[in-house]
Coordinates of all heavy atoms in Angstrom, one line a residue:
E526 N 0.8 -1.2 0.0 CA 0.0 0.0 0.0 C 0.9 1.1 0.0 O 2.0 1.3 0.5 CB -0.9 0.1 1.2 CG -1.9 -0.9 1.3 CD -2.9 -0.8 2.5 OE1 -2.6 0.1 3.3 OE2 -3.9 -1.5 2.6
L527 N 0.4 2.3 -0.5 CA 1.0 3.7 -0.5 C -0.1 4.7 0.0 O -1.3 4.5 -0.4 CB 1.4 4.0 -1.8 CG 2.2 5.4 -2.0 CD1 3.2 5.3 -3.1 CD2 1.1 6.4 -2.3
E528 N 0.3 5.5 0.9 CA -0.8 6.5 1.4 C -0.1 7.9 1.4 O 1.0 8.2 1.8 CB -1.2 6.0 2.8 CG -2.4 7.0 3.3 CD -3.0 6.3 4.6 OE1 -2.2 5.6 5.3 OE2 -4.2 6.6 4.8
M529 N -1.0 8.8 1.0 CA -0.7 10.2 1.0 C -1.5 10.9 1.9 O -2.8 11.0 1.8 CB -0.8 10.8 -0.4 CG -0.3 12.4 -0.4 SD -0.7 13.1 -2.1 CE 0.5 11.9 -3.1
V530 N -1.0 11.5 3.1 CA -1.8 12.1 4.2 C -1.1 13.3 4.7 O 0.0 13.6 4.3 CB -2.1 11.0 5.3 CG1 -2.9 9.9 4.9 CG2 -0.7 10.4 5.8
T531 N -1.8 13.9 5.7 CA -1.1 15.0 6.3 C -0.1 14.6 7.4 O -0.4 13.6 8.1 CB -2.0 16.1 7.0 OG1 -1.3 17.2 7.5 CG2 -2.9 15.3 8.0
E532 N 1.0 15.2 7.5 CA 2.0 14.9 8.6 C 1.9 15.7 9.8 O 2.5 15.5 10.8 CB 3.4 15.0 8.0 CG 3.9 16.5 7.6 CD 5.2 16.5 7.2 OE1 5.8 15.6 6.5 OE2 5.8 17.6 7.2
D533 N 0.9 16.7 9.7 CA 0.7 17.7 10.8 C -0.7 17.5 11.2 O -1.8 17.9 10.6 CB 1.0 19.1 10.2 CG 0.7 20.0 11.4 OD1 0.4 19.8 12.6 OD2 0.7 21.3 11.1
E534 N -1.0 17.0 12.4 CA -2.4 16.7 12.8 C -2.8 17.7 13.9 O -3.8 17.5 14.7 CB -2.5 15.3 13.5 CG -2.4 14.2 12.4 CD -3.6 14.1 11.5 OE1 -4.5 14.9 11.7 OE2 -3.6 13.5 10.4
T535 N -2.1 18.9 13.9 CA -2.4 19.9 14.9 C -3.7 20.6 14.4 O -4.1 20.5 13.1 CB -1.5 21.0 15.0 OG1 -1.2 21.6 13.7 CG2 -0.1 20.3 15.5
D536 N -4.4 21.4 15.2 CA -5.7 22.0 14.8 C -5.4 23.5 14.6 O -6.3 24.3 14.8 CB -6.8 21.8 15.8 CG -7.2 20.3 15.9 OD1 -7.2 19.8 14.8 OD2 -7.6 19.8 17.0
T537 N -4.2 23.8 14.3 CA -3.8 25.3 14.3 C -4.6 26.1 13.1 O -4.8 27.2 13.3 CB -2.3 25.5 14.2 OG1 -1.9 24.8 13.0 CG2 -1.6 25.0 15.5
D538 N -4.8 25.4 12.0 CA -5.5 26.1 11.0 C -6.8 25.6 10.7 O -7.6 26.1 9.9 CB -4.6 25.9 9.7 CG -4.2 24.4 9.4 OD1 -5.0 23.6 9.7 OD2 -3.0 24.2 8.8
G539 N -7.3 24.5 11.3 CA -8.6 24.0 11.1 C -8.8 23.3 9.9 O -9.9 22.9 9.6
S540 N -7.8 23.0 9.0 CA -8.0 22.5 7.7 C -6.9 21.4 7.4 O -5.8 21.8 7.4 CB -7.9 23.6 6.6 OG -8.0 22.9 5.4
R541 N -7.4 20.2 7.3 CA -6.4 19.1 6.9 C -5.9 19.4 5.6 O -4.6 19.1 5.4 CB -7.1 17.8 6.9 CG -7.4 17.2 8.4 CD -8.0 15.9 8.2 NE -8.0 15.0 9.4 CZ -9.1 14.9 10.3 NH1 -10.2 15.6 9.9 NH2 -8.9 14.2 11.4
L542 N -6.4 19.8 4.7 CA -6.1 20.0 3.3 C -5.0 21.1 3.2 O -4.2 21.1 2.2 CB -7.3 20.4 2.3 CG -8.2 19.2 2.1 CD1 -9.4 19.8 1.3 CD2 -7.5 18.0 1.2
A543 N -4.9 22.0 4.2 CA -3.9 23.0 4.1 C -2.5 22.6 4.8 O -1.6 23.4 4.8 CB -4.4 24.4 4.9
R544 N -2.6 21.4 5.3 CA -1.3 21.0 6.0 C -0.2 20.3 5.0 O -0.6 20.1 3.9 CB -1.8 20.0 7.2 CG -2.6 20.7 8.3 CD -3.2 19.6 9.1 NE -4.3 20.3 10.0 CZ -5.1 19.5 10.6 NH1 -5.0 18.3 10.7 NH2 -5.9 20.3 11.4
K545 N 0.9 20.0 5.6 CA 1.8 19.4 4.9 C 1.6 18.0 4.5 O 0.8 17.3 5.3 CB 3.2 19.5 5.7 CG 3.8 20.9 5.8 CD 5.1 20.9 6.4 CE 5.7 22.5 6.6 NZ 7.0 22.4 7.3
T546 N 2.2 17.4 3.6 CA 1.9 16.1 3.0 C 3.0 15.1 3.4 O 4.1 15.5 3.4 CB 1.9 16.1 1.4 OG1 0.8 17.2 1.1 CG2 1.4 14.7 1.0
S547 N 2.5 14.0 3.9 CA 3.4 12.8 4.2 C 3.1 11.7 3.2 O 1.9 11.5 3.0 CB 3.3 12.4 5.6 OG 4.0 11.3 6.0
L548 N 4.2 11.0 2.7 CA 4.0 9.9 1.8 C 4.6 8.7 2.6 O 5.6 8.6 2.9 CB 4.8 10.3 0.5 CG 4.5 9.3 -0.6 CD1 3.1 9.5 -1.1 CD2 5.4 9.7 -1.8
R549 N 3.6 7.8 2.7 CA 3.9 6.5 3.5 C 3.9 5.3 2.4 O 2.9 5.0 1.9 CB 2.8 6.3 4.6 CG 2.8 7.4 5.6 CD 1.5 7.2 6.6 NE 1.5 8.4 7.5 CZ 0.4 8.5 8.3 NH1 -0.6 7.6 8.3 NH2 0.4 9.6 9.1
G550 N 5.0 4.9 2.3 CA 5.2 3.8 1.3 C 5.7 4.3 0.1 O 6.1 5.5 -0.1
S551 N 5.9 3.4 -0.9 CA 6.4 3.8 -2.3 C 5.8 2.9 -3.3 O 5.2 2.0 -3.0 CB 8.0 3.6 -2.2 OG 8.2 2.2 -1.9
V552 N 6.0 3.5 -4.6 CA 5.4 2.6 -5.6 C 6.2 1.6 -6.0 O 7.5 1.7 -6.2 CB 5.5 3.6 -6.9 CG1 4.8 2.8 -8.1 CG2 4.5 4.8 -6.7
P553 N 5.8 0.3 -6.0 CA 6.6 -0.8 -6.2 C 6.9 -1.0 -7.7 O 6.2 -0.5 -8.6 CB 5.7 -2.0 -5.7 CG 4.4 -1.5 -5.9 CD 4.4 -0.1 -5.6
D554 N 8.0 -1.8 -8.0 CA 8.2 -2.2 -9.4 C 7.3 -3.4 -9.7 O 7.8 -4.5 -9.5 CB 9.8 -2.5 -9.5 CG 10.1 -2.8 -10.9 OD1 9.1 -3.1 -11.8 OD2 11.2 -2.8 -11.3
L555 N 6.3 -3.1 -10.2 CA 5.1 -4.2 -10.3 C 5.5 -5.2 -11.2 O 5.1 -6.4 -11.1 CB 3.8 -3.5 -10.8 CG 3.2 -2.5 -9.7 CD1 2.0 -1.8 -10.4 CD2 2.7 -3.4 -8.5
D556 N 6.2 -4.8 -12.4 CA 6.7 -5.7 -13.4 C 7.5 -6.9 -12.6 O 7.5 -8.1 -13.0 CB 7.3 -5.2 -14.6 CG 6.4 -4.5 -15.5 OD1 5.2 -4.8 -15.4 OD2 6.8 -3.7 -16.3
S557 N 8.4 -6.4 -11.9 CA 9.4 -7.2 -11.1 C 8.8 -8.0 -10.1 O 8.9 -9.3 -9.9 CB 10.6 -6.5 -10.7 OG 11.5 -7.3 -9.9
E558 N 8.1 -7.3 -9.2 CA 7.4 -7.9 -7.9 C 6.4 -8.8 -8.3 O 6.1 -9.7 -7.3 CB 7.1 -6.8 -6.9 CG 8.3 -6.1 -6.5 CD 8.3 -5.2 -5.4 OE1 7.6 -5.7 -4.3 OE2 8.5 -4.0 -5.2
C559 N 5.6 -8.6 -9.3 CA 4.6 -9.5 -9.6 C 4.9 -10.6 -10.6 O 4.1 -11.4 -11.0 CB 3.3 -8.7 -10.3 SG 2.5 -7.5 -9.1
S560 N 6.2 -10.7 -10.8 CA 6.6 -11.7 -12.0 C 6.4 -13.2 -11.6 O 6.1 -13.9 -12.3 CB 8.1 -11.5 -12.4 OG 8.9 -11.7 -11.3
D561 N 6.5 -13.3 -10.3 CA 6.3 -14.7 -9.7 C 4.8 -14.9 -9.3 O 4.6 -16.0 -8.8 CB 7.2 -15.1 -8.6 CG 7.0 -14.2 -7.3 OD1 6.2 -13.3 -7.4 OD2 7.7 -14.5 -6.4
G562 N 4.0 -13.9 -9.5 CA 2.6 -14.1 -9.1 C 2.4 -14.3 -7.6 O 1.3 -14.8 -7.2
L563 N 3.4 -13.9 -6.7 CA 3.2 -14.1 -5.3 C 2.7 -15.5 -4.9 O 1.5 -15.7 -4.3 CB 2.0 -12.9 -4.7 CG 2.4 -11.5 -4.9 CD1 1.5 -10.7 -4.3 CD2 3.9 -11.3 -4.4
A564 N 3.4 -16.4 -5.5 CA 2.9 -17.8 -5.3 C 2.8 -18.1 -3.8 O 3.5 -17.6 -2.9 CB 4.1 -18.7 -5.8
G565 N 1.6 -18.8 -3.5 CA 1.3 -19.3 -2.2 C 0.4 -18.3 -1.5 O -0.1 -18.7 -0.5
R566 N 0.1 -17.2 -1.9 CA -0.8 -16.2 -1.4 C -2.3 -16.6 -1.6 O -2.7 -17.2 -2.7 CB -0.6 -14.9 -1.9 CG 0.8 -14.3 -1.6 CD 1.0 -13.7 -0.2 NE 2.1 -13.0 -0.1 CZ 2.3 -11.7 -0.3 NH1 1.3 -10.9 -0.6 NH2 3.4 -11.1 0.0
D567 N -3.1 -16.3 -0.8 CA -4.6 -16.6 -0.9 C -5.2 -15.5 -1.9 O -4.9 -14.3 -1.8 CB -5.3 -16.5 0.4 CG -5.0 -17.5 1.3 OD1 -4.6 -18.6 0.8 OD2 -5.0 -17.4 2.6
A568 N -6.1 -16.0 -2.7 CA -6.8 -15.0 -3.7 C -7.8 -14.1 -3.1 O -8.5 -14.6 -2.2 CB -7.2 -15.9 -4.9

């Protein structure tokens, strides 16, 4: 998973959308990481 959310949860401005952005996770190399089909995982 990758998530883009605010890194500042204070209520100083009253607006989540006006706060700084935090990026949790990264974009995987799907061609490489899905090449083995995640063998053994439940569908």
Side-chain angles (χ1 to χ4, degrees):
E526 291 184 350
L527 179 150
E528 191 170 24
M529 186 183 295
V530 293
T531 178
E532 65 181 27
D533 177 8
E534 289 295 344
T535 67
D536 294 325
T537 55
D538 52 33
S540 171
R541 282 185 166 96
L542 290 170
R544 298 170 190 164
K545 293 182 179 180
T546 305
S547 178
L548 198 60
R549 301 171 184 171
S551 59
V552 180
D554 184 342
L555 292 171
D556 288 344
S557 174
E558 297 193 44
C559 291
S560 60
D561 64 356
L563 297 185
R566 298 281 189 94
D567 292 332

